[in-house]
Amino acid sequence: MGARSGRNARGPLAGLLIAALVSLACAGGGLAEPEGERPAPGRSPASPGANTTRADSTTSVAEFEQDVADAQAIAERYWAAQFKASGQRFQPIRRITPYQRAGEVSCGGQPLPRNNAVYCSQGDFIAYDVAWSVGAFRQVGDAFVFYLLGHEYAHGIQVRLGINYNFTIQQELQADCMAGAYLGDSVRSGALTLAEGDLDEFREGVAAVGDDPDQPWFAEGSHGTAEQRTDSFFRGYERSLEACDLG
């Protein structure tokens, strides 16, 4: 997967009535903090020593870090264009923070665990366990990095738009759809170029972070089954933000 820095992805936030950007301090009363992408019960998280790689055979930490930087840059340009098309000012997420140990980074006073990626509305940042993320990158492929960043960035956009569902699963599946829209629109605009196998990596990566089939959909922290998550992601990928129930 390759990023092209000279072009922006375009596409309006159809149907949204945005009076102003929502204050992050006010968002804490409604938006549940995503718990991140956790391996489903019975599955082992990808390890840095994984010997299975996808078509592009990406393996180095330097490549991983470059993909994170590219995914962030494309997400910022994409969402800035959407907000501008709606006549609104866009505020990028403040920072993206890698961590190595449980409790090294906290969100709203709660230490983040291992094997996790999360958007924290209180500090307006994305944090991820570097060992788990690099392991997934090596096992699934670089497309997973763009999906993971896109999903967490979507949670920041939900805060900015004041989107607050009653159930976690609704928030999570919409974020999957928005991640799909950001990636699909970026490919169509030429801001992002897919390599052989990237679509399979998207499908494999999204499915891998699905909930256990026995997880109640209404439980706090539910993200959706593998089928629900892949359906939401590819609905956004193919049909853009109009498919994501934003308005």
Side-chain angles (χ1 to χ4, degrees):
M1 174 169 286
R4 296 179 183 174
S5 59
R7 299 176 62 180
N8 292 350
R10 297 282 176 178
L13 292 169
L16 280 179
L17 299 176
I18 311 171
L21 294 181
V22 177
S23 168
L24 294 177
C26 296
L31 180 62
E33 291 299 333
E35 294 184 16
E37 278 54 59
R38 301 157 297 171
R43 293 178 185 166
S44 299
S47 66
N51 57 14
T52 301
T53 59
R54 296 296 299 176
D56 46 12
S57 299
T58 48
T59 58
S60 75
V61 173
E63 288 175 300
F64 169 81
E65 291 175 344
Q66 185 60 58
D67 282 340
V68 171
D70 288 344
Q72 178 183 4
I74 293 173
E76 288 177 354
R77 292 200 304 272
Y78 176 76
W79 288 111
Q82 308 312 310
F83 275 69
K84 182 178 180 181
S86 297
Q88 303 298 322
R89 178 177 174 270
F90 173 68
Q91 288 181 313
I93 288 175
R94 289 179 58 194
R95 68 182 186 275
I96 297 179
T97 303
Y99 64 92
Q100 298 180 345
R101 298 179 302 277
E104 181 180 344
V105 176
S106 296
C107 175
Q110 297 296 316
L112 300 182
R114 293 282 309 278
N115 304 328
N116 202 14
V118 63
Y119 167 73
C120 178
S121 64
Q122 284 90 337
D124 190 33
F125 66 88
I126 294 169
Y128 62 90
D129 178 341
V130 105
W132 174 76
S133 301
V134 170
F137 160 76
R138 287 174 170 166
Q139 196 167 48
V140 179
D142 60 349
F144 180 79
V145 177
F146 285 79
Y147 158 70
L148 182 65
L149 189 285
H151 175 92
E152 299 305 340
Y153 215 100
H155 284 309
I157 300 302
Q158 288 172 324
V159 168
R160 284 153 171 75
L161 299 179
I163 296 172
N164 181 23
Y165 285 105
N166 291 327
F167 296 100
T168 309
I169 191 171
Q170 296 171 297
Q171 208 85 21
E172 297 299 334
L173 292 178
Q174 185 183 60
D176 281 336
C177 182
M178 293 164 71
Y182 133 75
L183 289 165
D185 287 345
S186 295
V187 170
R188 285 184 284 271
S189 75
L192 191 63
T193 303
L194 294 186
E196 180 182 356
D198 280 340
L199 283 176
D200 290 334
E201 289 176 19
F202 285 140
R203 191 175 302 278
E204 180 180 333
V206 176
V209 294
D211 291 336
D212 186 275
D214 295 328
Q215 168 96 338
W217 68 269
F218 51 82
E220 184 176 357
S222 291
H223 284 55
T225 64
E227 182 178 5
Q228 288 173 318
R229 299 198 71 172
T230 53
D231 284 350
S232 292
F233 175 84
F234 280 103
R235 185 167 64 250
Y237 186 90
E238 294 167 1
R239 295 167 47 198
S240 190
L241 293 172
E242 292 182 0
C244 300
D245 298 324
L246 292 176

